[in-house]
Amino acid sequence: MNADVCCEFPLQSMLNSHLRHGREDVITVMGTEVENAHSVLYGCMVSNDANSNEVEHYVEKPETFVSNTINCGVYVLGVEVLDHMKSVYQDLQKGPVSTDCIELERNILAKFAGTGRLFVFRHHGFWSQVKTPGTAVFATQYYLSIQRKEHPESLAKGSNIIGDVLIHPTAKVSSSAVLGPNVTIGANTVVKDGVRIKHSILLDGCEIEPHACLLYSVIGGNTHVGCWSRIEGTPTILNPNKPLAHVTNP
């Protein structure tokens, strides 16, 4: 699993799909659909058989359009695939330029495509990469919505709270500070009088002085934000009229 993705992670359903192949030499890749113009930013998979979901062709970040089904960065590997990876690594060591790593997408997935050993598990729920502060804030909004559904008691409540806000028990927040929507406050953070925070992440140990304004931002640990300061990032908003729209990263 790649460390820079967030989604619903339907791992049990994905594993069940993988096990139906009944073999240990196959790979199942979670895939989702994106707009054609954005597909070239990701690994693209061509799978024309909706029954078997076999991947016939795989290209990592192609220069032109190949498919709008992309690699989500979540995998299930049969144990025999690990032996194959070992063999690939040893072959790379013998090449003209020695390398200490394998590129899974180019050295393994692209070679498995079209051989009956690579399959796609189609995911139709939320999925996003997290490579920038903006996408981290966007992803947090999704996870807070899950928190509201599954553990609503953990979210902050009060006349100064708007929407989904998660405050660590050790944080100190003034009752005159207005928080939300989509705000998380880390451990030992202090938010003083008259502060306004929305669509932001505050990591541990921050101190926010009176009347500061934080919008669409990620505030690093142990940061001191001065009185009347304003920190504003760029909001990440998807077009609701485009069902295949996803957050894109430069």
Side-chain angles (χ1 to χ4, degrees), residues 5-16:
V5 298
C6 72
C7 67
E8 297 170 355
F9 294 112
L11 301 181
Q12 187 60 58
S13 297
M14 187 176 178
L15 177 61
N16 293 341

Side-chain angles (χ1 to χ4, degrees), residues 204-217:
D204 298 350
C206 296
E207 185 173 6
I208 314 302
E209 296 292 351
H211 307 293
C213 181
L214 309 177
L215 310 174
Y216 302 100
S217 301

Side-chain angles (χ1 to χ4, degrees), residues 8-236:
E8 297 170 355
F9 294 112
L11 301 181
Q12 187 60 58
S13 297
M14 187 176 178
L15 177 61
N16 293 341
S17 175
H18 177 83
L19 294 176
R20 278 197 289 271
H21 300 300
R23 296 160 51 193
E24 294 292 349
D25 63 341
V26 301
I27 300 174
T28 300
V29 182
M30 182 185 292
T32 193
E33 293 184 350
V34 300
E35 293 180 287
N36 290 0
H38 294 154
S39 64
V40 295
L41 301 174
Y42 307 95
C44 297
M45 297 179 285
V46 176
S47 176
N48 295 319
D49 190 336
N51 294 319
S52 72
N53 288 317
E54 180 186 347
V55 176
E56 300 165 11
H57 186 52
Y58 183 96
V59 183
E60 183 66 16
K61 296 181 177 65
E63 295 183 0
T64 59
F65 175 75
V66 172
S67 167
N68 71 340
T69 300
I70 65 164
N71 177 358
C72 289
V74 183
Y75 313 94
V76 180
L77 280 63
V79 293
E80 292 181 14
V81 175
L82 301 180
D83 294 330
H84 178 78
M85 294 174 68
K86 178 181 178 181
S87 176
V88 169
Y89 175 77
Q90 291 173 339
D91 289 342
L92 290 172
Q93 293 294 302
K94 300 174 184 176
V97 179
S98 180
T99 178
D100 291 329
C101 64
I102 291 175
E103 290 187 61
L104 179 65
E105 295 83 1
R106 292 181 172 86
N107 297 139
I108 305 297
L109 301 186
K111 302 295 177 60
F112 271 42
T115 68
R117 294 181 293 170
L118 185 64
F119 299 86
V120 58
F121 172 81
R122 301 179 189 277
H123 176 57
H124 302 289
F126 177 85
W127 177 87
S128 176
Q129 281 190 319
V130 182
K131 290 184 178 291
T132 65
T135 52
V137 171
F138 180 81
T140 298
Q141 179 175 337
Y142 167 71
Y143 284 125
L144 284 174
S145 70
I146 294 179
Q147 197 77 358
R148 172 171 24 92
K149 294 176 183 176
E150 298 183 358
H151 302 285
E153 72 285 353
S154 67
L155 297 179
K157 298 177 178 61
S159 59
N160 63 327
I161 301 298
I162 302 171
D164 297 334
V165 175
L166 185 64
I167 302 175
H168 193 276
T170 62
K172 297 179 180 179
V173 178
S174 169
S175 60
S176 66
V178 179
L179 275 56
N182 184 27
V183 170
T184 60
I185 307 293
N188 300 310
T189 285
V190 177
V191 179
K192 298 183 180 180
D193 295 343
V195 169
R196 180 67 175 103
I197 305 174
K198 71 175 183 179
H199 295 289
S200 294
I201 301 168
L202 278 66
L203 300 182
D204 298 350
C206 296
E207 185 173 6
I208 314 302
E209 296 292 351
H211 307 293
C213 181
L214 309 177
L215 310 174
Y216 302 100
S217 301
V218 178
I219 308 301
N222 301 309
T223 296
H224 180 266
V225 177
C227 183
W228 291 102
S229 296
R230 181 183 180 94
I231 300 176
E232 183 171 1
T234 303
T236 299

